[in-house]
Amino acid sequence: MIVVLKRGAEQDKREQLINWLKNQGLGVHISEGEYQTVLGLIGDTARVDMDLIESLSIVDSVKRVTEPFKCCNRKFHPDDMIVQVGDVKVGGGNFCMIAGPCSVESEEQIVAVAKAVKASGANMLRGGAFKPRTSPYDFQGLKAEGIELLKIARQETGLPIVTEIMGTNYLPLFEDVDVIQVGARNMQNFDLLRELGKLRKPILLKRGLASTLKELLMSAEYIMAGGNEQVILCERGIRTYDDYTRNTLDLAAVPMLKELTHLPVIVDPSHATGIARLVRPMALAAAACGSDGLIIEVHNDPIHALCDGAQSLRPEQYDDLAKAVRRVRKAVAE
Ligand code: PEP
Ligand code: MN
C-alpha cells in the first residue's frame, strides 16, 4: 500500500502517522521527493483502514498495490482449487452441471426433475427450499420440508444436493446438505459468511445483484478466512440499465475471476437472463469462455412453476443444452 502525503505536511503529524502504522506491525519505507513524500507500507495491509488514512489532513491519497484478498488470491495459490462434493469434482478442468427447479414444490416434482437431469448428464441437483422473493406475498419455499424432499431425490438418484440458506438460524437444517448456496441477496451477509467459514462443507457463493468482482472475492475471503476453503463462485448476472433481460450476464467476469483467484467459477444463465430461450446460448458461451460449470433451472412443468417458470427449461430442452455444452467443451479443448 502506498500513502502519498500532501505538500508541506507538518512534521509532527507525519511522525504520528508513521508511528501509528509501525505499531500496526507494518514496515514503512519513506521516499522523500522534491514535491511529495510517499510512504510505502510493507507487510500485511489487509487490515489497514484505507479510508481512515485517506481522511487525515496530511494525506493526499492512498493506493493499494496488492489485493486485499489473500486466501482466494491466485498469486498465493497458483494451482486451481478443486472443490470436492462427494464423488463430484468442481474446478481444475472438472466441469459441473447443476440443474433442478428454482424451488422444490413436491416430492413428485423434485424426484422427476432429478431423474431427468441426471439422465441428461447433470451431476448435482439444485432446488430452493428457502426462497428469497422480492414480494413477501409470493411463494417462499417449502422450507424444512423442501430440504427433506431434496434428500429423497438424492437417495433416488445419487445426485448431491445444492440449496440456498437465508440466515444463520437455519444452519442446523443444512447439516446434511451437500453444497450450501449463498444467494445474490446474501452475498454480503457477513455474519452468515463467517458462520459458513466455520463449516467444512462446499459453499456456492453467488455474485450480488450490483457487486463488483472485488466485493465477490472479499465475500469468499470471509468464508475462507474461517478455514473453509471449499468455495465455488457463481456469476449470475448483474443489474444494469437494460431491462429486456432480467440481469446482464457479465461473462468477462469468468476469465477475469479465473486470473484473480484459484477458486472454481460457474455461471447461472437462468437468473442472468430470466428468459428460457436465452439460457442455451448463454450456457454455451459460458462453457466456451472457461467456466467450471453451469447451474440451470429445469422444471417438468414450467408454466405452472411456483417460481421462475419463465426462465426454466423443460427436461428435453436441458437434454439438448447438455449435449451442446459437451460439444462446445470438446471444441474449446482442441
Ligand atoms: C437461486 O439460485 O435460486 C437464486 C435465488 O438465485 P440468485 O441468488 O442468483 O438470485
Ligand atoms: Mn430461481
Side-chain angles (χ1 to χ4, degrees):
M1 186 182 275
I2 285 172
V3 180
V4 180
L5 299 185
K6 281 186 185 150
R7 242 181 126 173
E10 298 94 324
Q11 193 60 31
D12 57 332
K13 287 191 181 161
R14 251 177 70 146
E15 290 309 317
Q16 255 176 21
L17 172 60
I18 292 167
N19 286 335
W20 180 73
L21 291 166
K22 284 184 176 163
N23 284 338
Q24 295 199 41
L26 298 168
V28 182
H29 176 266
I30 305 167
S31 158
E32 301 270 5
E34 199 176 332
Y35 302 106
Q36 263 176 335
T37 299
V38 175
L39 309 180
L41 308 190
I42 304 148
D44 182 8
T45 56
R47 289 171 206 274
V48 175
D49 185 344
M50 272 179 81
D51 295 332
L52 178 67
I53 300 177
E54 199 146 34
S55 71
L56 300 175
S57 62
I58 58 164
V59 172
D60 182 63
S61 58
V62 183
K63 275 200 193 76
R64 275 198 192 279
V65 286
T66 53
E67 295 90 358
F69 47 92
K70 302 273 181 258
C71 302
C72 66
N73 197 324
R74 193 183 276 280
K75 276 187 198 150
F76 306 114
H77 313 267
D79 294 336
D80 283 349
M81 154 85 89
I82 297 174
V83 173
Q84 187 84 38
V85 187
D87 294 337
V88 179
K89 288 181 164 64
V90 188
N94 303 284
F95 196 81
C96 74
M97 292 285 280
I98 307 172
C102 180
S103 6
V104 181
E105 296 172 10
S106 66
E107 178 175 336
E108 194 191 3
Q109 173 240 22
I110 191 69
V111 171
V113 176
K115 285 183 175 165
V117 297
K118 184 180 180 185
S120 301
N123 53 8
M124 284 191 241
L125 174 67
R126 66 149 287 148
F130 293 86
K131 294 305 305 173
R133 303 304 299 275
T134 301
S135 165
Y137 309 115
D138 286 341
F139 176 58
Q140 304 286 308
L142 294 181
K143 305 195 167 74
E145 189 198 342
I147 294 187
E148 291 312 308
L149 298 181
L150 280 166
K151 290 184 200 165
I152 293 173
R154 174 175 63 191
Q155 208 165 10
E156 295 273 329
T157 59
L159 293 177
I161 51 178
V162 182
T163 194
E164 177 169 356
I165 192 164
M166 300 244 288
T168 51
N169 48 326
Y170 300 118
L171 270 165
L173 291 173
F174 284 70
E175 255 166 39
D176 195 21
V177 165
D178 301 294
V179 178
I180 302 182
Q181 175 174 326
V182 177
R185 290 153 192 83
N186 266 314
M187 188 203 85
Q188 287 191 315
N189 180 341
F190 300 120
D191 283 346
L192 176 60
L193 299 176
R194 236 192 297 268
E195 285 305 311
L196 297 175
K198 294 180 188 160
L199 307 180
R200 295 296 174 266
K201 192 189 264 299
I203 307 296
L204 174 61
L205 179 63
K206 300 188 90 175
R207 182 179 183 182
L209 274 72
S211 295
T212 64
L213 297 185
K214 194 180 279 174
E215 286 163 342
L216 172 63
L217 290 169
M218 291 310 291
S219 292
E221 193 75 12
Y222 262 89
I223 301 168
M224 296 175 85
N228 187 4
E229 306 221 307
Q230 303 276 95
V231 179
I232 303 167
L233 302 176
C234 179
E235 161 57 36
R236 46 77 72 204
I238 45 173
R239 178 70 55 87
T240 64
Y241 42 82
D242 196 73
D243 59 2
Y244 271 106
T245 50
R246 183 172 178 180
N247 290 290
T248 297
L249 180 56
D250 178 14
L251 272 187
V254 175
M256 190 75 248
L257 283 170
K258 298 212 43 106
E259 262 180 49
L260 295 167
T261 180
H262 60 305
L263 297 179
V265 181
I266 70 166
V267 171
D268 174 349
S270 306
H271 292 90
T273 61
I275 300 169
R277 67 178 185 282
L278 299 188
V279 171
R280 186 182 191 272
M282 291 300 95
L284 300 186
C289 76
S291 147
D292 294 298
L294 289 162
I295 177 165
I296 290 178
E297 288 189 345
V298 179
H299 198 287
N300 50 354
D301 185 10
I303 294 172
H304 296 106
L306 296 181
C307 183
D308 286 350
Q311 69 193 32
S312 298
L313 300 186
R314 293 191 310 276
E316 61 275 19
Q317 292 173 308
Y318 181 71
D319 190 63
D320 169 61
L321 175 151
K323 287 188 178 118
V325 165
R326 287 192 283 272
R327 289 197 295 272
V328 167
R329 286 201 16 94
K330 206 166 152 226
V332 171
E334 274 165 7

